[in-house]
Amino acid sequence: MLDERKLAVLRAIVEDYVHTEEPVGSKALVDRHNLGVSSATVRNDMAALEEEGYIAQPHTSAGRIPTDKGYRLFVDRLTTIKPMTVAERRAISAFLEGAVDLDDVVHRTVRLLAQLTRQVAVVQYPTLSRSAVRHVELVTLSPTRLLLVLITSTGRVEQRVVDLGTNVGDDLLGDIRARLNAAVSGRQLSEVQSLVVDLPTSFEATDRSVVAMIISSFLETVVERTEGRIAVSGTANLIPFGQEFHTSLRPVLEALEEQVVLLRLIGEATGPSGFTVRIGHENPYVELSTASVVATGYGPGDEAVANLGVVGPTRMDYPGTMGAVRAVARYVSQILAGE
């Protein structure tokens, strides 16, 4: 474990390298930072940091740059995450509050996150399995067809056309709607099957086949799709960092086109208050071994229903990026909670 002085030197190297894009020398550290020690002491500390693998010399006679191990220790020992300014918070709130539905929320969020961080932003749509039923609506399309609309606690809307093959009166339809909502409103989608499977038996025998068809369509609607849905924005933000990826930017961009890759990258966030930060070779894909991922969960209340985050080079402003990701996640969570 590094002592506090060497940790301060490492922190200064990371901050300077992120800001200047240039390898950092001992003289620059002494000039820019109040380390309270001589250049000779800083050189000794840098030598020790290099020997332990926290920094590296990219070429002879150059200063030092952080390694993945150095960035990891820097992130793990962060004492504060850069907060958003009052103006930034107001801008985030105003931009997101203008959304009209869940799709609009997700697309506004991913664009905003890309603009704030100047990285590639990824936002996962809320998954059905983590949502609760807010309301079920049955809308008559014709005497024998209706539209079943499921609205979840996260604002997600699912629709399904039900062809009943027989006329259904308004009174019966209203009764089905009322009993179905009484049974499932506020309940997790993962538990609704057991709540409605016997519902047809509570109706008159002549109506049970119609009720059974509606319940069957409802259960098909709440079944989780195998594929997750995501939105991506800001891939062009990586172009200025192209030289920082060891081979070329193309493999990185190709990896980011794969939905399963993105879902795995952001899919292990620990919840609305926690972060997943993967640095360089910690990523599960070799194409992203020179990239970093910062992700967190979002959702109404304390439970995350989906994740969002950013992908960028390892030379990333981690405190600022984590602050932006956290702030956006909080605002989206508040919107989904109806606050």
Side-chain angles (χ1 to χ4, degrees), residues 106-118:
V106 170
H107 285 101
R108 284 173 180 254
T109 299
V110 76
R111 282 159 42 209
L112 176 64
L113 198 52
Q115 292 169 5
L116 287 173
T117 64
R118 296 183 178 85

Side-chain angles (χ1 to χ4, degrees), residues 150-326:
L150 167 67
I151 304 173
T152 73
S153 58
T154 57
R156 185 164 171 174
V157 178
E158 298 289 330
Q159 302 181 51
R160 183 178 293 267
V161 175
V162 186
D163 193 345
L164 300 172
T166 186
N167 288 359
V168 179
D170 291 340
D171 290 343
L172 176 58
L173 194 63
D175 194 14
I176 298 172
R177 180 190 301 113
R179 295 198 205 182
L180 180 56
N181 277 290
V184 302
S185 292
R187 306 299 291 267
Q188 293 293 312
L189 270 70
S190 58
E191 61 181 352
V192 298
Q193 182 171 356
S194 62
L195 300 174
V196 301
V197 66
D198 294 327
L199 193 60
T201 62
S202 66
F203 286 79
E204 296 291 335
T206 54
D207 298 328
R208 288 175 187 170
S209 62
V210 169
V211 178
M213 281 189 284
I214 293 174
I215 296 302
S216 176
S217 294
F218 169 71
L219 292 176
E220 290 174 0
T221 304
V222 303
V223 170
E224 181 65 70
R225 291 173 173 81
T226 55
E227 74 278 7
R229 293 179 63 195
I230 57 174
V232 182
S233 181
T235 52
N237 287 337
L238 293 186
I239 293 176
F241 301 99
Q243 73 280 2
E244 299 188 26
F245 297 97
H246 290 168
T247 52
S248 71
L249 188 57
R250 183 171 181 175
V252 177
L253 296 178
E254 289 177 346
L256 294 178
E257 290 179 356
E258 297 293 330
Q259 182 166 289
V260 66
V261 171
L262 294 176
L263 284 172
R264 185 176 178 188
L265 285 177
I266 69 170
E268 295 181 0
T270 55
S273 61
F275 284 98
T276 292
V277 181
R278 283 184 174 151
I279 299 171
H281 289 86
E282 296 172 358
N283 286 305
Y285 301 96
V286 65
E287 297 89 346
L288 298 174
S289 61
T290 53
S292 285
V293 179
V294 176
T296 191
Y298 72 90
D302 296 327
E303 182 181 3
V305 296
N307 299 316
L308 58 81
V310 298
V311 182
T314 55
R315 190 183 64 80
M316 177 187 292
D317 174 13
Y318 292 96
T321 300
M322 293 167 71
V325 169
R326 180 180 63 179

